[in-house]
């Protein structure tokens, strides 16, 4: 494996693991052990299932929607940072949605308001991650129409997928 690719992947995985641990500790101290283990266990399980299903479907069709470039730390042919990233995104969107709704006041106890804000926040996170990842070369998307690649950072399905996963979770 190329030393550059290994360094890039370590520089991706290490901060993701540190952030994952810090968010887990935050959840533990503010929400308790039971909710923390349930939340992060479910988040990792859902992200694992999602990525395995997409990997299986892309092998059936012969054309993956995206290609992760040169990652050595894999679980079932997919980088560990994907699973961790989903859990981080789920927790950040939930936490930030609750903070925003607490400031608004009147909707703070409404589950649908929390879900809606979580979806919106995930949309913002997804654009930042997709734009950075593509420009840096962490992964590449395949477009149904090659001309769209000049105008879009990623296909609309990428951003819709992030928000749909948050809604499912």
């Amino acid at each position: 494996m190329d030393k550059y690719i290994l360094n890039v992947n370590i520089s991706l995985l290490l901060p993701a693991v540190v952030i994952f641990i810090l968010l887990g500790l935050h959840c533990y101290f503010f929400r308790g052990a039971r909710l923390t283990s349930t939340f992060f266990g479910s988040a990792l399980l859902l992200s694992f299932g999602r990525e395995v299903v997409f990997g299986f479907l892309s092998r059936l069709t012969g054309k993956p929607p995206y290609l992760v470039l040169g990652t050595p730390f894999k679980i079932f042919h997919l980088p560990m940072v994907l699973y961790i990233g989903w859990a981080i995104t789920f927790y950040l969107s939930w936490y930030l949605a609750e903070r925003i709704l607490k400031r608004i006041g009147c909707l703070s106890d409404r589950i649908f308001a929390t879900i809606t804000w979580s979806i919106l926040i995930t949309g913002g996170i997804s654009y930042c991650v997709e734009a950075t990842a593509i420009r840096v070369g962490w992964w590449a998307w395949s477009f149904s129409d090659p001309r769209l690649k000049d105008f879009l950072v990623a296909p609309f399905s990428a951003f819709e997928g992030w928000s749909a996963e948050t809604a499912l979770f």
Side-chain angles (χ1 to χ4, degrees), residues 2-56:
D2 186 11
K3 188 175 181 180
Y4 171 75
I5 291 175
L6 184 63
N7 286 337
V8 166
N9 285 289
I10 289 173
S11 69
L12 272 175
L13 186 60
L14 191 60
V17 169
V18 169
I19 291 168
F20 181 78
I21 290 169
L22 290 174
L23 290 177
L25 289 172
H26 178 273
C27 189
Y28 175 78
F29 287 119
F30 288 98
R31 301 179 190 274
R34 183 174 181 194
L35 189 86
T36 300
S37 61
T38 303
F39 182 89
F40 283 100
S42 300
L44 289 172
L45 194 62
L46 178 67
S47 64
F48 176 76
R50 178 199 186 281
E51 296 299 336
V52 167
V53 166
F54 273 109
F56 177 73

Side-chain angles (χ1 to χ4, degrees), residues 68-124:
V68 181
L69 306 172
T71 51
F73 309 108
K74 295 182 180 183
I75 299 174
F76 289 106
H77 307 291
L78 291 167
M80 288 177 10
V81 75
L82 284 179
Y83 309 121
I84 294 170
W86 278 111
I88 290 170
T89 302
F90 290 150
Y91 188 74
L92 280 177
S93 65
W94 177 35
Y95 176 73
L96 292 173
E98 285 186 339
R99 297 288 296 177
I100 289 168
L101 289 170
K102 191 179 283 186
R103 299 271 304 185
I104 293 172
C106 65
L107 299 173
S108 63
D109 294 335
R110 307 290 178 143
I111 188 68
F112 291 112
T114 305
I115 292 170
T116 302
W117 274 98
S118 294
I119 290 169
L120 291 171
I121 292 165
T122 300

